[in-house]
Amino acid sequence: MTLPRIILSSGEPAGIGPDLCIEIAGRNWPCELVVAGDMQMLDERARKLGRRIDLRPWHATPEPIAHQAGTLPVLHIPVAAPVRAGQLDPANARYVLSLLDRAIEGCSASEFDALVTAPVHKGVIADTGVPFLGHTEYLAQRTGGHPVMMLATKSLRVALATTHLALKDVSAAITKERLHRVLKVIDHDLRTRFGIASPRILVCGLNPHAGESGHLGREEIEIIAPALEELRARSMQLLGPAPADTAFTAHMLEEADVVLAMYHDQGLPVIKYAGFDSAVNVTLGLPIIRTSVDHGTALPLAGTGKADAGSLVAALELAIAMARNAPHARQPAKR
């Protein structure tokens, strides 16, 4: 295939998103990299960081152009108010959403092959009256997808059956219908976007010891195990339900391409411990490819030069790989 064209949303302008965009612009990439953001804001942040970057307005070309270190093509979207690193301003909340809207529009129209997102600040957006739970939910709403959150490092993938849900509400949310949908999405996307011919999915139980034969809860017996049996009958490779306290041991992980945790803090602490600076947040189940960093806006680090770009580097690398694996990957123009 020809080079993929990737759009990078620069995120909350007062956070480290602009810093990270400038950092990764300093190396060559096997893709055309386009940053969505305010050009003046990005220029000011580069100067604050002491980085010499040639910012230039982005214009689409018939063929993607490989990114050259020291340059930064910018899809200019103006901020609503002046930006000060580390200081949130609600006036720019809708600017952040406009970056996402333009990126979603471009990906949906095949103008871009994948979206990578720098971190946003959920609170400052919600404070303006916009109901915003996070990137995942917003992207699903805008694209009509059925999102499944998955975090990935080079050696471990962890997906979630439920995401930002209070612990007291998790049990009621674990239904056969939800598990069927989530597992089908995982199986489909690992095949089509990760190039895994027959994905092996290790499914955690909900309760300690996976319910201890019903003595510590019956969700495994009544919901999880029957759901897995029904999908195994459709030739899906599913392991479990497994006790979560042993699911992440080496011998279990050797048999799995991904682990499905039942709730947020059952699975994510493990992968963040294993690779916090290199983990990538991937949204499965969307009609577009989207990856992201696994951390927040880190306001105190904005403009200091101390932000670590490792997670964004990994997110961009994975987006490139997924775009190349996609069934409708961009092909070279005929001569």
Side-chain angles (χ1 to χ4, degrees):
M1 69 166 290
T2 189
L3 295 170
R5 181 176 285 146
I6 311 293
I7 185 163
L8 169 56
S9 171
S10 54
E12 167 54 51
I16 62 171
D19 305 48
L20 302 182
C21 293
I22 291 161
E23 176 67 25
I24 66 169
R27 62 180 74 187
N28 294 325
W29 288 99
C31 71
E32 181 171 3
L33 178 62
V34 181
V35 171
D38 183 284
M39 184 171 287
Q40 181 179 345
M41 178 272 294
L42 289 165
D43 183 59
E44 291 173 352
R45 191 64 60 86
R47 293 174 186 275
K48 188 176 182 67
L49 294 170
R51 296 299 179 90
R52 300 187 65 177
I53 298 291
D54 179 16
L55 286 90
R56 55 186 68 169
W58 174 75
H59 301 288
T61 55
E63 291 286 339
I65 301 170
H67 180 80
Q68 297 296 313
T71 63
L72 189 59
V74 179
L75 177 55
H76 176 64
I77 299 173
V79 294
V83 176
R84 297 186 66 181
Q87 298 186 24
L88 294 171
D89 187 339
N92 283 323
R94 291 188 181 274
Y95 155 79
V96 174
L97 296 181
S98 71
L99 302 179
L100 293 176
D101 291 340
R102 178 62 180 88
I104 293 167
E105 174 188 315
C107 288
S108 298
S110 298
E111 181 182 18
F112 304 108
D113 299 301
L115 164 63
V116 179
T117 56
V120 299
H121 195 284
K122 302 181 185 71
V124 74
I125 297 174
D127 287 346
T128 66
V130 177
F132 184 82
L133 296 176
H135 273 120
T136 301
E137 295 82 0
Y138 189 80
L139 288 164
Q141 180 184 17
R142 291 300 310 276
T143 65
H146 300 285
V148 173
M149 181 185 291
M150 183 178 80
L151 266 70
T153 66
K154 293 187 183 300
S155 60
L156 177 64
R157 302 183 187 96
V158 178
L160 299 179
T162 63
T163 53
H164 300 116
L165 197 62
L167 195 57
K168 65 182 179 60
D169 299 324
V170 170
S171 178
I174 301 298
T175 63
K176 287 175 65 175
E177 293 74 19
R178 177 187 287 265
L179 291 176
H180 276 207
R181 176 179 63 79
V182 168
L183 286 164
K184 288 176 182 177
V185 165
I186 295 171
D187 182 76
H188 175 271
D189 280 20
L190 288 186
R191 291 173 188 270
T192 60
R193 292 180 173 173
F194 287 79
I196 301 174
S198 185
R200 302 166 300 168
I201 306 172
L202 173 59
V203 181
C204 293
L206 173 66
N207 298 293
H209 302 176
E212 194 77 62
S213 300
H215 295 288
L216 298 177
R218 297 192 58 81
E219 287 88 351
E220 288 78 11
I221 294 173
E222 297 175 359
I223 298 170
I224 302 175
L228 300 189
E229 283 301 318
E230 290 173 6
L231 293 176
R232 288 188 187 108
R234 303 181 190 181
S235 300
M236 288 179 61
Q237 291 203 61
L238 305 173
L239 308 172
D245 63 346
T246 57
F248 294 95
T249 55
H251 78 279
M252 293 288 283
L253 293 177
E254 287 175 0
E255 303 299 320
D257 297 300
V258 62
V259 178
L260 177 63
M262 291 295 107
Y263 56 93
H264 189 280
D265 283 9
Q266 184 183 62
L268 296 198
V270 179
I271 195 165
K272 291 196 175 187
Y273 175 77
F276 182 75
D277 293 332
S278 60
V280 180
N281 187 344
V282 186
T283 307
L284 306 178
L286 299 178
I288 65 174
I289 293 171
R290 180 261 176 159
T291 67
S292 183
V293 295
D294 72 340
H295 56 72
T297 53
L299 294 169
L301 297 181
T304 66
K306 297 179 180 179
D308 188 331
S311 184
L312 187 58
V313 168
L316 180 54
E317 290 174 339
L318 183 56
I320 293 168
M322 291 175 68
R324 287 174 167 165
N325 282 326
H328 304 293
R330 185 185 299 269
Q331 298 298 320
K334 293 182 179 179
R335 301 299 182 189

